[in-house]
Amino acid sequence: MGASSDPYMAYRGGKIYRGGDKLQDPYSVRYDGIDRILTGRPLSDDGENDSSSDSSSPKKLRRRTLASDVLPLPLWLTNIVFLLTFIFSCCYLLQQWREQLYSSEKLHELLWRDLVAVCLGMGSFIYLINFFGVGYVQSAIEQSMISEEDVKEREEEEEEEEEGEEEEEEEEDPKKLLFRQGRTGPRRHYVPPPPEPRYNPVPSPSPPATTTSATSTPAPTAPKSCGVKLDSSSSLQDVPLQDLPDDDIAHAVARGAIPMHSLEAQLGNTLRAAAVRRRAVEIKTGRSLSGLPLENYDYDAIRGACCEMVIGHVAVPVGVAGPLRLDGADVFVPMATTEGCLIASTNRGCKALCAAGGARSVVLRDGMTRAPAVQLPSALRAAELKAFAESPENWDMLADAFNSSSRFARLQSISVAVAGRTAFVRVESSTGDAMGMNMVSKGTRNVLGALLGAFPDLRVVSMSGNYCADKKATAVNWIHGRGKSVVCEATIPGHVVRSVLKTSVEALVELNTTKNLVGSAMAGAVGGSNAHAANMVAAVFLATGQDPAQVVESSQCLTLLEPANGGADLHASVTMPCIEVGTVGEEPS
């Protein structure tokens, strides 16, 4: 080509040549190929302009045009600019939306700077997505501008280069040549066998005409070594997980190649997922779980609702005590327990109450609580928050914010406890027939948003500050109540005490005073002035689907036994200020 100023050059094996001299990499040099396409200047078959073609010059391939040639900045710098723009836009929008959520503002109300951030984010996102398609665009341009003769010439040169490299390798290592020749004579090309996979899945099926049964070709056993993860080239990635044997999947789970929590989604069968996970646990621990029941359970019903990482189920026997005459109605009490004689003793108490004409009950209070912990710059600001939240003037505003979160939840009271510059805002609400933890949590979040409007320097530390108090035996629940606050009473005739309970009125009164009152006081119990209320509460909770962890506060009980009618009869009463139960379930928030 000599000193020709033509911008097109020979393309050989991914490199650019001009007159036999190798130049720099094609991606670092700009040419006017795109300009020739856009302006419509003709190209000859060999990739040069017809007006400047030289008959004496060798045949050349034009350097392929890159889609990135039209960018005003280098490609790497352009990518960085758009990536940073996308990240900063997303961070800004997330921060703005977080503030709007706390302040109870509508998310679709955007300021001009929010619109700018949305436009920048969408534009940079579109660029980044399209950037991954540059290779496809590039291949289309190359196919449309390179003639068939150029492609054939390139392939021939590549084959010549590969043959030259093979000859050089054979000269350096004559053992390879002998190995390639073998017993059948020399071969022109040698294709090495594929590497042995680290994990052998189920053998691929044969054509339909010669299909064999699964029993004739047993699946290979996966290695049981732990701590080795499958790499990206493993054949496990090329086979659907549903087609693998359960034991092979379990070994892969035990090694960490398959996440244990994703088996239901990948297998599409909850029972099979539980069996595979169970087998993986056996492999990891070296212990059998054959004593844990697996079959005869509806795992679809609990998926995503109340249990994860399932490996089986536990059968708890359920008994019934009763009938119990309560408020004029005879009811049976279901109890799930493994403690012997618990239901029998409860049933004997029900018999005594029925013989006495039944028990009477009343709900003193019904309200679920949530108490987030918030922090302010100073103790004085925390005191101002307490005065603001408890002021009757602000009640309507806070009540409207809370009640807007649910059709059933209604705000009952707000009290604030201050500890230094930290405040615990205890919100109490009625929740209908539901236990109401999720319901009151949603409403409390709206209350915090309203408080943030008046106290911008308020910082939420935790949505639950343990001043609620949930799943703990606390004095605040014992005094103020949580959930249902209930009291029940009954007067049992003396002859029923002697015939059914096998004791006397005087002995029961003395026992209750010494054990339940004095003994519990000596132990420093909070709400523990009873014999064993937690036993019966836990059994009823398990049988009726309540939260077993809330037995802690729900079993806080004060049992009083007093003589009545001049000591002839026994007056019994139980006071339980925080029974947390519900007859309507809630979706987890």
Side-chain angles (χ1 to χ4, degrees), residues 507-523 525 528-532 559:
L508 283 179
V509 172
E510 181 184 9
L511 174 65
N512 183 74
T513 302
T514 305
K515 174 184 177 178
N516 293 342
L517 302 183
V518 178
S520 298
M522 292 294 293
S529 302
N530 57 81
H532 61 129
T559 301

Side-chain angles (χ1 to χ4, degrees), residues 185-248:
R187 289 184 290 179
R188 181 178 180 84
H189 296 286
Y190 167 71
V191 179
E196 185 178 353
R198 299 169 63 182
Y199 176 81
N200 298 325
V202 177
S204 57
S206 305
T210 60
T211 302
T212 59
S213 62
T215 57
S216 62
T217 306
T221 303
K224 296 185 179 181
S225 59
C226 298
V228 180
K229 293 191 179 231
L230 297 175
D231 52 24
S232 59
S233 62
S234 174
S235 57
L236 179 63
Q237 308 296 333
D238 304 328
V239 179
L241 200 62
Q242 299 90 335
D243 298 340
L244 296 177
D246 289 355
D247 198 61
D248 290 352

Side-chain angles (χ1 to χ4, degrees), residues 4-276:
S4 174
S5 61
D6 193 284
Y8 297 100
M9 302 178 183
Y11 184 92
R12 299 291 186 269
K15 304 176 179 61
I16 295 180
Y17 297 86
R18 183 198 296 274
D21 298 331
K22 183 170 71 172
L23 299 181
Q24 52 188 319
D25 187 81
Y27 292 98
S28 61
V29 184
R30 291 185 177 272
Y31 304 98
D32 64 345
I34 287 283
D35 182 64
R36 286 174 180 258
I37 298 173
L38 299 177
T39 56
R41 283 186 283 169
L43 297 173
S44 62
D45 292 339
D46 59 357
E48 293 191 5
N49 194 324
D50 292 340
S51 60
S52 59
S53 61
D54 187 359
S55 60
S56 61
S57 62
K59 191 173 183 178
K60 303 170 292 300
L61 281 176
R62 181 181 56 79
R63 180 257 188 192
R64 63 177 184 176
T65 305
L66 298 177
S68 59
D69 291 341
V70 298
L71 298 176
L73 298 175
L75 183 60
W76 64 271
L77 183 57
T78 305
N79 291 341
I80 291 177
V81 170
F82 278 97
L83 181 60
L84 292 178
T85 302
F86 177 72
I87 293 175
F88 290 152
S89 300
C90 291
C91 292
Y92 172 80
L93 291 174
L94 291 176
Q95 179 66 22
Q96 289 294 109
W97 290 337
R98 177 176 177 273
E99 294 178 358
Q100 289 177 336
L101 284 175
Y102 276 115
S103 59
S104 299
E105 297 180 4
K106 298 180 180 179
L107 295 180
H108 65 272
E109 295 180 356
L110 302 178
L111 302 176
W112 66 269
R113 55 178 178 271
D114 299 334
L115 293 174
V116 172
V118 171
C119 294
L120 291 176
M122 293 179 61
S124 56
F125 177 75
I126 293 173
Y127 169 82
L128 293 174
I129 291 297
N130 289 327
F131 173 73
F132 292 101
V134 169
Y136 297 100
V137 177
Q138 183 63 41
S139 62
I141 297 177
E142 182 181 20
Q143 292 296 332
S144 62
M145 299 187 59
I146 299 180
S147 63
E148 296 182 359
E149 296 179 359
D150 295 337
V151 174
K152 293 180 180 179
E153 183 178 350
R154 182 188 305 176
E155 293 177 352
E156 292 175 358
E157 292 184 357
E158 291 178 355
E159 291 180 358
E160 293 177 359
E161 291 181 359
E162 292 178 358
E163 293 176 358
E165 293 176 357
E166 292 178 358
E167 293 176 358
E168 293 177 359
E169 293 178 356
E170 292 172 357
E171 292 177 359
E172 295 176 358
D173 191 356
K175 293 182 180 181
K176 294 183 179 180
L177 180 59
L178 295 175
F179 178 73
R180 293 180 183 180
Q181 290 178 353
R183 296 182 180 180
T184 59
R187 289 184 290 179
R188 181 178 180 84
H189 296 286
Y190 167 71
V191 179
E196 185 178 353
R198 299 169 63 182
Y199 176 81
N200 298 325
V202 177
S204 57
S206 305
T210 60
T211 302
T212 59
S213 62
T215 57
S216 62
T217 306
T221 303
K224 296 185 179 181
S225 59
C226 298
V228 180
K229 293 191 179 231
L230 297 175
D231 52 24
S232 59
S233 62
S234 174
S235 57
L236 179 63
Q237 308 296 333
D238 304 328
V239 179
L241 200 62
Q242 299 90 335
D243 298 340
L244 296 177
D246 289 355
D247 198 61
D248 290 352
I249 302 175
H251 279 88
V253 172
R255 291 195 309 272
I258 300 175
M260 184 177 291
H261 62 82
S262 65
L263 289 176
E264 282 81 3
Q266 296 193 48
L267 295 178
N269 187 316
T270 54
L271 176 59
R272 186 185 180 192
V276 171

